[in-house]
Structure formats: structure tokens, C-alpha cells
């Protein structure tokens, strides 16, 4: 993987800096999919998926979490300090890419391996939903400074969550900031904010009946968005009210990278092996149902493209995954920090 992650050095000035972070007291919770009493009234796409079961007890220790997603402004500061270059700014390495593809996949034209990333566009009404390529297009020149391909002025997007960053790029920022990515368990714990066994951070009411809880898609994905929440694409951080823990956009706006490899059967293993799984960090490698060669990291929280008729990504327990070298227009991240004696004493 082309990345200068290893060259990034931690910024000692940020070692104990918890400004812009929320202290989350640890505890034990029921992690996994929820089935509310009104489940029969909901579309199947809005309900918990097989990899969200079984429910299992998880304990997490105290931790700090960024109150909002890392912004373009913050990422720019990191890049200026380190000279870091993101994955999307390198040409694609075919030898690395083909390791994740079925045997015999032909090499694409070299023009399709130039630096760039995926950009969303609405599909014509009636287009089948069985092919993500009907609405995602690889576009040259797209990266964190040009996240949607429109070449915006950098000053105009500074308060937006940084997107088009891979897991490696998120890890590099976290390393520099003396932080880390949240585990999948920490993310769900933070998202639930003390409410056990509810589908969403606000309860069990579907998004359609609880407008303005976050930046989601209203309309019919992937064909149109009625923009009833005021944002067709990524919204500036803090555009919506925080959850009970004081976390902004923990649900919606952009999917967020976690530390964990994705494991389709990981919950089942945890439940069998632990009465209470303390601070789980995911499996040692990816386990998938459909593609044994896949290498995927978990993303959480949903995005501006989610609605209950498609992926319901803003549910507390919803798990999605991406290859760690992927950057997309609706994927970003926030960081956490383990509580230590020094951070407890920090202002």
C-alpha cells in the first residue's frame, strides 16, 4: 500500500490535549441488533441484519471521543505539519488491488488506475439497485481537497468533515494527534449514549417520523433526495443537535472508520467465549460470507446517503465495511483517546 503512514511522527504538543473531545464513562451494554415491537411495520432494509446478531454483553473502559468528525481544516493542519499524502493522491497499484479480486480479473486500462476516488451521482429512476456502479463513479483527481470532483475552493469546505480518506489516512492523522480510531464497540457504546436496546440514538421511531435528527437522505435512494433536512450532501460539523453524550453527527453525515477488521461471525464467537467481552478490538483478520479474499475494516454511523429503504446506516448496531485503502465521498472519521492519569488531569 502506497502511504507514508510509517513516516508520520506523533505531535508531542497534542499528547494530553483533550480540547474538542467528550469524556465518555465506560460501562457494560448489550451490543448488537435490536428488534422493536413495531418491527412488522418496518421495511426489511430498516431492520437488524444477520451480522448484528447475536446480542452480546460488552464492557468498555472510559475514553475520550472527538465531539465531531475530523474536519478538512483539521486534516489540512495535519498535512501541513507532516507532508502526508493520502491514498487517493497516489496512482492505484494493480498488484495490490488484484489481491482482493477474484482470480482471473483482467487488468483495467492504465487510465483507470490513475489517482482518484469514487464520487456519487443519482441514478435514473428504475435503475437496478444490484450494482453500486450505477451510482458510484471512479473519478480522477478526486481526493480530500476535491471530495466531490467539483474542485471547490479549500476555504469553502474547511468546516466539512474530511472525506475521501482511507483507513490508513485516518490512522495517520490519529497517530499524529496522539489519538487512535475507536473500536467498533466504543463507537456503538457512544452512539447509544446510555440507551440500551433501541434501534437509533433517539429511540425506536423511524427517521421519517423524527426529522432533523441528523443528515440523512429523504426521498428514494439512489434516485433523488428531497433535502428536507437542509443538506443534500455532506453538512458542516455541528449542523444538528448532539446526542445525549454531546457527540455531533455520531449518526449520519458520513460513515466513520473504526479500528476493527470486519468479522461476519465475530459476535457469535464473542458471545460463546465471554460472559462480558471487555474492550474487544475485533478479529485478527477479516471473515466474510461471500468473499474469502476480502480485507475489510468496519465503518459505523451511516451517512447523508442512508435511509430506511436502503441501508438504515444510522442505526446503533448497523455494521458496514470497506477495504482499508478505500476513500469515498461519504466516509470520514473521528478519533478517541484512552483515559490515562495525564488525560484525567488535563483541562
Amino acid at each position: 500500500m502506497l502511504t507514508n503512514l510509517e513516516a508520520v511522527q506523533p505531535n508531542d504538543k497534542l499528547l494530553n490535549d483533550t480540547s474538542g473531545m467528550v469524556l465518555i464513562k465506560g460501562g457494560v451494554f448489550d451490543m448488537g441488533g435490536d428488534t422493536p415491537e413495531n418491527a412488522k411495520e418496518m421495511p426489511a432494509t430498516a431492520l437488524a441484519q444477520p451480522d448484528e446478531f447475536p446480542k452480546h454483553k460488552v464492557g468498555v473502559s472510559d475514553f475520550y471521543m472527538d465531539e465531531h468528525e475530523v474536519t478538512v481544516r483539521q486534516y489540512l493542519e495535519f498535512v501541513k505539519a507532516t507532508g502526508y499524502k493520502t491514498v487517493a493522491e497516489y496512482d492505484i497499484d494493480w498488484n495490490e488491488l488484484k489481491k482482493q479480486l477474484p482470480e482471473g480479473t483482467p487488468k483495467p486500462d492504465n487510465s483507470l488506475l490513475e489517482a482518484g476516488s469514487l464520487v456519487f451521482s443519482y441514478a435514473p429512476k428504475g435503475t437496478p439497485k444490484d450494482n453500486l456502479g450505477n451510482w458510484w463513479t471512479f473519478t480522477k483527481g478526486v481526493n480530500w481537497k476535491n471530495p466531490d470532483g467539483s474542485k471547490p475552493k479549500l476555504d469553502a469546505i474547511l468546516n466539512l468533515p474530511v472525506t475521501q480518506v482511507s483507513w490508513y489516512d485516518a490512522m495517520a492523522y490519529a497517530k499524529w494527534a496522539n489519538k487512535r480510531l475507536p473500536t467498533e464497540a466504543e463507537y456503538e457504546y457512544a452512539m447509544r449514549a446510555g440507551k440500551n436496546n433501541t434501534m437509533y440514538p433517539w429511540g425506536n421511531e423511524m427517521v421519517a417520523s423524527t426529522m432533523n435528527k441528523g443528515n440523512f437522505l429523504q426521498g428514494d435512494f439512489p434516485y433523488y433526495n428531497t433535502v428536507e433536512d437542509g443538506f443534500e450532501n455532506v453538512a458542516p460539523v455541528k449542523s444538528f443537535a448532539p446526542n445525549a453524550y454531546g457527540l455531533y453527527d455520531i449518526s449520519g453525515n458520513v460513515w466513520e472508520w473504526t479500528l476493527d477488521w470486519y468479522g461476519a461471525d465475530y459476535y457469535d464467537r464473542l458471545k460463546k467465549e465471554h460472559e462480558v467481552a471487555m474492550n474487544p478490538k475485533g478479529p485478527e483478520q477479516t471473515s466474510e460470507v461471500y468473499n474469502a479474499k476480502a480485507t475489510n475494516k468496519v465503518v459505523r454511523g451511516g451517512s447523508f446517503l442512508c435511509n430506511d429503504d436502503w441501508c438504515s446506516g444510522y442505526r446503533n448496531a448497523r455494521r458496514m465495511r470497506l477495504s482499508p485503502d478505500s476513500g469515498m465521498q461519504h466516509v470520514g472519521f473521528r478519533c478517541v483517546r484512552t483515559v490515562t492519569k495525564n488525560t484525567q488531569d488535563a483541562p
Side-chain angles (χ1 to χ4, degrees):
M1 172 54 52
L2 286 172
T3 172
N4 49 346
L5 168 60
E6 295 301 323
V8 172
Q9 296 299 314
N11 183 345
D12 291 340
K13 293 180 180 179
L14 300 177
L15 182 59
N16 298 314
D17 182 6
T18 57
S19 59
M21 303 188 83
V22 174
L23 175 61
I24 298 176
K25 300 298 290 184
V28 175
F29 75 108
D30 294 324
M31 185 172 179
D34 302 291
T35 305
E37 293 181 359
N38 58 338
K40 292 183 179 179
E41 303 169 12
M42 298 181 174
T45 48
L47 299 176
Q49 302 301 301
D51 66 351
E52 297 171 34
F53 294 108
K55 293 277 279 191
H56 55 291
K57 288 196 176 295
V58 168
V60 296
S61 301
D62 298 355
F63 62 99
Y64 285 93
M65 183 175 239
D66 289 344
E67 63 178 355
H68 58 70
E69 305 109 330
V70 172
T71 63
V72 172
R73 185 190 308 275
Q74 290 171 307
Y75 208 81
L76 175 62
E77 182 182 359
F78 155 66
V79 169
K80 285 181 175 179
T82 63
Y84 183 82
K85 187 175 178 181
T86 62
V87 171
E89 296 172 272
Y90 289 97
D91 288 345
I92 297 170
D93 185 338
W94 170 243
N95 289 324
E96 286 292 325
L97 178 61
K98 70 180 181 181
K99 293 177 183 178
Q100 303 175 43
L101 301 174
E103 293 288 344
T105 300
K107 180 182 177 181
D109 187 84
N110 285 336
S111 65
L112 298 176
L113 297 175
E114 294 178 18
S117 194
L118 294 168
V119 173
F120 173 83
S121 59
Y122 295 110
K125 184 67 176 176
T127 301
K129 293 186 177 183
D130 59 357
N131 184 354
L132 302 183
N134 288 333
W135 52 86
W136 287 107
T137 304
F138 184 84
T139 306
K140 289 183 285 188
V142 166
N143 53 54
W144 68 278
K145 293 174 288 188
N146 180 28
D148 63 0
S150 67
K151 299 181 179 179
K153 292 184 178 179
L154 201 55
D155 286 349
I157 63 173
L158 290 176
N159 206 37
L160 297 181
V162 67
T163 59
Q164 299 293 7
V165 285
S166 71
W167 181 85
Y168 298 103
D169 303 329
M171 288 284 286
Y173 174 93
K175 180 180 178 182
W176 173 78
N178 278 284
K179 300 178 183 180
R180 60 177 173 82
L181 294 181
T183 65
E184 189 177 8
E186 287 171 332
Y187 197 98
E188 184 170 324
Y189 183 80
M191 197 172 180
R192 289 182 180 277
K195 295 180 181 178
N196 242 342
N197 304 313
T198 57
M199 289 184 68
Y200 310 102
W202 54 84
N204 286 323
E205 301 82 14
M206 294 181 67
V207 167
S209 61
T210 55
M211 290 300 298
N212 298 325
K213 293 291 187 182
N215 185 14
F216 316 128
L217 183 143
Q218 299 85 45
D220 188 3
F221 181 90
Y223 310 121
Y224 65 89
N225 184 350
T226 58
V227 199
E228 294 167 50
D229 61 13
F231 297 96
E232 185 170 17
N233 298 303
V234 180
V237 297
K238 294 189 173 183
S239 293
F240 298 87
N243 75 351
Y245 280 172
L247 300 167
Y248 294 88
D249 298 312
I250 194 72
S251 175
N253 210 23
V254 296
W255 287 101
E256 299 182 27
W257 289 111
T258 71
L259 191 65
D260 301 20
W261 291 108
Y262 171 78
D265 59 348
Y266 184 58
Y267 288 7
D268 186 56
R269 288 158 48 195
L270 280 183
K271 188 174 180 67
K272 289 176 179 177
E273 295 171 5
H274 304 278
E275 183 175 345
V276 177
M278 285 301 301
N279 297 314
K281 294 180 174 61
E284 293 184 1
Q285 61 184 26
T286 303
S287 63
E288 283 278 3
V289 174
Y290 302 110
N291 182 4
K293 296 182 67 175
T295 54
N296 289 324
K297 290 288 185 176
V298 176
V299 291
R300 284 289 197 131
S303 80
F304 65 88
L305 291 175
C306 289
N307 71 3
D308 279 329
D309 290 324
W310 176 241
C311 71
S312 191
Y314 33 70
R315 283 191 297 100
N316 293 325
R318 182 60 158 144
R319 311 173 72 204
M320 292 290 278
R321 66 272 199 193
L322 286 172
S323 170
D325 58 0
S326 297
M328 299 184 78
Q329 188 182 348
H330 66 335
V331 177
F333 70 101
R334 77 181 71 206
C335 299
V336 300
R337 177 176 285 151
T338 303
V339 172
T340 65
K341 178 62 168 60
N342 287 336
T343 54
Q344 284 178 325
D345 293 341

